[in-house]
Amino acid sequence: MSTISELLIIAIGSALVSNVVLSQFYGLCPFLGVSKQLKTAGGMGVAVIFVITLASLVSALIYGFLLKPFGLEYLKTIVFILVIAALVQFVEMFLKKNIPSLYRSLGVYLPLITTNCAVLGTALTNVQEEYNLLYAVVNGFATAAGFAISICILAGIREKMRYNNVPKAFQGMPIVLVTAGLMAIAFCGFSGLL
Amino acid sequence: MDVNAIITAVLVIAILGLLLGLFLGFAAKAFHVESDPREDKITGVLPGNNCGGCGYPGCSGLAAAIVAGNAPVNGCPVGGEAVAKKVAEIMGVEAGESVRLAAFVRCAGDCEMAGKDYEYHGVEDCRMAAMLPAGGEKSCSYGCLGYGSCVAACPFDAIHVVNGIAVVDRDACKACGKCVEACPKHLIELIPADSVFAVACSSKDKGPDVMKKCKVGCIGCGICKKNCEAEAIEVAEFLAHINQSKCVKCGSCAEKCPKKAIKKFEA
C-alpha cells in the first residue's frame, strides 16, 4: 500500500472511526465544558488542532532522538508531559507577540489545553503504534480534527437545545451527557468505514 | 541493579528540563510584550462585569482604550463617578462630570391597559414573539410583549416583567444598555436617573388607532407640548418625547395629558 493511502486511512481512522472523544473518551473535560456556544467551541477546536499537531511533531522527535538512543522509553509519559507543557507555554508567548489577534481569540483555551489528556493521549498513541514522524503528525492532526468536529456538533446541538423543554431532572449537565452518548452511538456508524 | 541506567535517566531528564526552562526563559524575554502598567491598574478598578456597556469588549478592552486615549476616563457607564475618579487618578487627569443614566421602558400597556389580538403559546422570548403576525399578540404593534428578553439580558437583575410589561428598577440599573439592545421593539431608552417625567409609550399609530388598542397610549395630540414652558417636548409621528436636558420637572405635561401617558417617577 502506498504511503498516501496509508496516511489517509490513519487520518480517517483517528478523526471519525476511533474518534478521540466519542470512542476513546479522551478530552471529555473541554468537550463538556466549552461546548455551550458554537463560537467558543470552534475556538477550542482550532486551538486543540494547533497544539496536538505541534505536540505530535515534538514528541515524536523527542522520542526518536532522545529517549530511544538512551534506552529511556519507559520515561515517555513524564517527558511528554514536560515537553507539551513547555511547548504550550512557548506557543502562547509566540502568539501573544506575533499574532495577537489569534492569541486573543484563543484566549484562555490555550493554557487549558496543557492539561488536556487528549494531547498526551495522542502523543502516547503515536509511540504505541510505532508511527514515524510524518505518520505521527498526520495522526495528531486527524485526531484533533476529530475532537474539533465532535465539539462543534455538540455545541450546535446545545445551542438548539436551549429552545427545548427539558425535564427538570435532566436540565444542565445530564442532558448534555445523554446527548454525548447518543453522538457516540451515531459515530459507531463509522466503524464499518475501514 | 544497573546504577548507570538510573544516572542516565536522571541526567537526561534533568538536562531536558533545564534546556526547556532556559528556552522558555529566553523566549519570555524575546517575545516580551510591552504593556502599560496603567492598563492593569485600570482593569483592577473597573467593575469587572465585562458587560460591554462601554462599547468595548469587556473591562480590559476599555482599560486598553483609556490608556490609548481613545476612551474618556468616565467611559464606564456602570461604575459611574466613583470609578471615573479612580481611573482619572491613575491616568493623572481630572474626571469630567458624568450623568448617571437609567433605562426606561417606553410602554405602560400592561395586561389591563392594552388589548390582545390572539393568544400566543410559544417560546417565551420577545425576539421570537415579535416575529409573529402584526408583531406579536398585543394589539399595539409597538408595545412591550412582556416575555422578558430584557430580563434575561440584564446582568444586574434590574429589570423585571410586572403585569405583562417590563419595569426597570432605577436603583439597581447601571445603564449598561444590554436591555436596549435586547428589546426587539426598541422600547428601552437610557435617560438620566434623576429625570422625573417620561412618555411611557412608543406607538407611532394615529390617535384613534392608539385609543382602540391601549388605554394609556400617546395619541400625539400635542397638549403636553403646548403646556410645556421649557419647550422640552417634541411631538413627531404622533408620539410625544421629552428632551430630558431641557425638562424643568414642572409636571404640567403629566397633569394635562388626556391619556395619562406621561409617567412620573417618585423621587
Side-chain angles (χ1 to χ4, degrees):
Chain A
M1 208 171 355
S2 70
T3 319
I4 298 213
S5 60
E6 258 181 41
L7 283 176
L8 204 62
I9 286 177
I10 289 179
I12 291 175
S14 7
L16 297 177
V17 181
S18 52
N19 186 287
V20 64
V21 186
L22 296 174
S23 73
Q24 302 189 60
F25 311 119
Y26 287 145
L28 281 176
C29 175
F31 180 67
L32 300 173
V34 269
S35 56
K36 265 196 182 138
Q37 284 176 344
L38 202 52
K39 209 175 134 199
T40 48
M44 186 73 192
V46 171
V48 167
I49 290 179
F50 191 66
V51 169
I52 292 195
T53 312
L54 263 179
S56 298
L57 175 74
V58 174
S59 61
L61 284 174
I62 292 271
Y63 188 76
F65 295 104
L66 187 73
L67 297 185
K68 254 193 180 164
F70 286 101
L72 296 172
E73 286 94 338
Y74 60 91
L75 282 176
K76 56 182 183 284
T77 311
I78 192 165
V79 171
F80 285 174
I81 292 174
L82 187 70
V83 170
I84 291 167
L87 177 75
V88 174
Q89 283 289 312
F90 174 69
V91 167
E92 201 185 338
M93 284 187 241
F94 179 82
L95 289 183
K96 199 173 181 181
K97 174 86 176 177
N98 290 342
I99 323 173
S101 55
L102 183 63
Y103 173 77
R104 270 199 297 277
S105 55
L106 292 183
V108 292
Y109 305 124
L110 205 53
L112 266 181
I113 298 167
T114 321
T115 49
N116 184 343
C117 57
V119 184
L120 184 65
T122 312
L124 290 174
T125 311
N126 289 339
V127 171
Q128 206 175 350
E129 302 281 335
E130 293 177 346
Y131 288 147
N132 66 22
L133 198 61
L134 177 64
Y135 281 37
V137 172
V138 169
N139 182 45
F141 178 80
T143 307
F147 177 86
I149 292 169
S150 39
I151 197 173
C152 283
I153 294 176
L154 183 68
I157 296 174
R158 280 181 79 170
E159 275 192 354
K160 291 279 174 222
M161 214 147 60
R162 273 192 314 203
Y163 297 112
N164 292 7
N165 267 332
V166 179
K168 197 159 190 195
F170 279 104
Q171 272 170 20
M173 214 28 99
I175 192 71
V176 178
L177 284 167
V178 170
T179 314
L182 289 175
M183 276 174 67
I185 295 173
F187 266 67
C188 282
F190 285 118
S191 59
L193 205 60
L194 294 184
Chain B
M1 201 162 111
D2 192 355
V3 179
N4 273 342
I6 297 174
I7 293 173
T8 331
V10 170
L11 275 181
V12 167
I13 301 294
I15 289 170
L16 181 70
L18 191 69
L19 285 178
L20 284 173
L22 283 174
F23 170 68
L24 278 184
F26 281 115
K29 275 257 159 67
F31 292 107
H32 182 64
V33 181
E34 285 293 330
S35 69
D36 201 314
R38 290 181 299 179
E39 210 174 304
D40 293 331
K41 270 192 199 164
I42 293 176
T43 314
V45 173
L46 292 173
N49 297 76
N50 290 322
C51 66
C54 52
Y56 292 93
C59 292
S60 56
L62 177 65
I66 290 176
V67 171
N70 295 331
V73 287
N74 58 7
C76 177
V78 176
E81 234 163 295
V83 167
K85 264 188 194 150
K86 284 184 202 160
V87 174
E89 214 169 274
I90 294 166
M91 291 294 290
V93 294
E94 289 288 313
E97 286 286 309
S98 73
V99 181
R100 195 172 95 77
L101 299 176
F104 171 63
V105 183
R106 289 177 296 175
C107 180
D110 57 22
C111 296
E112 281 83 44
M113 298 301 180
K116 284 181 178 182
D117 285 344
Y118 52 88
E119 287 292 322
Y120 168 68
H121 294 283
V123 178
E124 300 239 329
D125 188 301
C126 298
R127 283 160 290 191
M128 288 283 221
M131 279 190 264
L132 294 166
E137 58 186 334
K138 208 163 209 167
S139 302
C140 173
S141 59
Y142 298 92
C144 175
L145 295 165
Y147 289 108
S149 289
C150 48
V151 179
C154 182
F156 304 100
D157 193 30
I159 190 163
H160 301 279
V161 173
V162 180
N163 198 14
I165 57 165
V167 177
V168 176
D169 175 357
R170 277 190 149 186
D171 295 327
C173 179
K174 306 280 183 196
C176 69
K178 288 267 167 184
C179 52
V180 178
E181 271 171 49
C183 181
K185 299 284 188 185
H186 309 293
L187 287 177
I188 306 175
E189 183 189 3
L190 296 177
I191 59 174
D194 59 354
S195 56
V196 182
F197 296 99
V199 181
C201 182
S202 302
S203 173
K204 289 172 183 167
D205 281 343
K206 288 184 183 170
D209 291 337
V210 176
M211 286 208 228
K212 266 181 238 162
K213 292 168 182 172
C214 182
K215 290 178 194 159
V216 287
C218 173
I219 52 175
C221 61
I223 291 176
C224 50
K225 187 181 177 181
K226 278 177 211 140
N227 281 286
C228 183
E229 286 163 13
E231 294 182 355
I233 300 182
E234 291 149 27
V235 180
E237 294 179 88
F238 310 104
L239 178 64
H241 185 261
I242 298 178
N243 184 341
Q244 299 292 352
S245 60
K246 284 189 191 165
C247 178
V248 292
K249 297 159 191 162
C250 65
S252 60
C253 51
E255 207 176 292
K256 295 279 161 58
C257 179
K259 302 292 289 181
K260 301 292 163 211
I262 296 177
K263 183 177 172 163
K264 181 181 183 189
F265 289 97
E266 303 300 331

